[in-house]
Amino acid sequence: MKSRIIKFLGLAAVILVLGGCGPSAHVETSRNANFDRYRSFAWAEKKDRRGRSGSSTMMENQIRDAISGRLESRMGWREVSRNPDVILSYDVLVERSSRVESDSRYSWGGFRTFYNPYSRRFYNVYYPSRFMGYDNYEVPTKEGTITVTMADARTDETVMQGWATDEVNSRRISGREINRIVDAIFRKWESGTKYDNRYDNRRRNTRSSDRY
């Protein structure tokens, strides 16, 4: 019975650890934004400090493709070259970080020998290994953050900004890591948009019922 409980607790701990993994995302939207009326988007042109346009790297192209693909597949928007509803821009940052890991610590188990002066014999007592706690230590890592900014093309007002951070292997974020980070931003945005729509519907229904 005890072994079953230990196995269950171990499995629960693994599930909690896996559930806590993944990029942490944050999204902020403008109160004036009406995303239902947006149908098209275009990318802002990136320029250096001297105002010159530069060529995009493969990582930058992968970020743009990941964002564009999700806007087209999930939102039904399309990328256009003229008169877009929304202007998109992004920023990417990779910096050093660290994570805390823990190792279980146990006491030494084994036999100890004692002498019984009454029987004049030696006897052995077994001491099992006991859990003593955890040893915590820091592991150096790298974190990659992608920020997506969406502005209304007509008013230049920022209507959405979302960013997510995840652990990456190098200063160049891989395509798989980009997809994880971008997915986290869109999941957060979609969940927030659905909540806002439910709240607005409840508020409208309350107002209409108050009229009667």
Side-chain angles (χ1 to χ4, degrees):
M1 181 66 180
K2 186 181 294 184
S3 62
R4 290 183 181 178
I5 295 175
I6 293 174
K7 288 181 180 179
F8 174 77
L9 292 176
L11 179 60
V14 171
I15 293 174
L16 288 174
V17 170
L18 292 177
C21 296
S24 56
H26 305 273
V27 172
E28 295 181 358
T29 57
S30 170
R31 291 180 177 271
N32 301 324
N34 182 7
F35 295 102
D36 291 335
R37 66 184 180 86
Y38 296 141
R39 293 291 182 269
S40 61
F41 66 93
W43 285 95
E45 186 177 358
K46 274 201 167 185
K47 295 186 178 181
D48 58 19
R49 295 179 180 178
R50 296 182 180 181
R52 297 177 302 186
S53 300
S55 57
S56 300
T57 64
M58 183 172 69
M59 182 183 71
E60 292 174 331
N61 289 333
Q62 287 176 327
I63 294 174
R64 289 174 54 151
D65 289 343
I67 298 170
S68 298
R70 282 152 184 81
L71 285 174
E72 292 169 350
S73 62
R74 298 186 182 184
M75 304 294 294
W77 297 3
R78 60 189 180 89
E79 185 173 359
V80 296
S81 57
R82 297 181 59 184
N83 301 323
D85 296 324
V86 164
I87 301 295
L88 296 177
S89 60
Y90 70 91
D91 186 60
V92 58
L93 173 67
V94 178
E95 55 188 351
R96 294 179 180 177
S97 183
S98 63
R99 70 170 181 269
V100 177
E101 292 192 355
S102 300
D103 287 338
S104 302
R105 184 163 53 89
Y106 294 88
S107 64
W108 289 97
F111 290 93
R112 293 187 64 181
T113 302
F114 295 88
Y115 176 71
N116 185 343
Y118 300 100
S119 63
R120 296 181 180 181
R121 290 185 301 180
F122 292 92
Y123 64 96
N124 295 323
V125 175
Y126 175 71
Y127 286 84
S129 176
R130 297 178 181 273
F131 176 70
M132 304 294 291
Y134 293 96
D135 286 330
N136 299 325
Y137 57 95
E138 288 190 354
V139 177
T141 60
K142 292 183 179 66
E143 286 187 343
T145 301
I146 296 177
T147 303
V148 181
T149 304
M150 186 180 298
D152 189 293
R154 182 175 58 85
T155 63
D156 291 331
E157 178 188 5
T158 299
V159 292
M160 191 279 281
Q161 189 170 67
W163 62 96
T165 302
D166 195 15
E167 186 175 317
V168 297
N169 293 323
S170 67
R171 294 198 61 83
R172 183 192 174 282
I173 307 179
S174 69
R176 184 176 181 180
E177 293 164 345
I178 289 171
N179 285 328
R180 278 169 54 87
I181 296 174
V182 172
D183 268 335
I185 296 173
F186 274 83
R187 284 197 303 269
K188 187 73 173 183
W189 182 30
E190 289 169 355
S191 63
T193 302
K194 291 176 182 177
Y195 173 80
D196 291 341
N197 290 338
R198 288 197 300 266
Y199 176 76
D200 291 339
N201 290 334
R202 286 199 303 268
R203 188 168 56 179
R204 282 194 292 267
N205 292 336
T206 303
R207 287 179 179 176
S208 12
S209 63
D210 291 340
R211 297 175 185 174
Y212 300 97

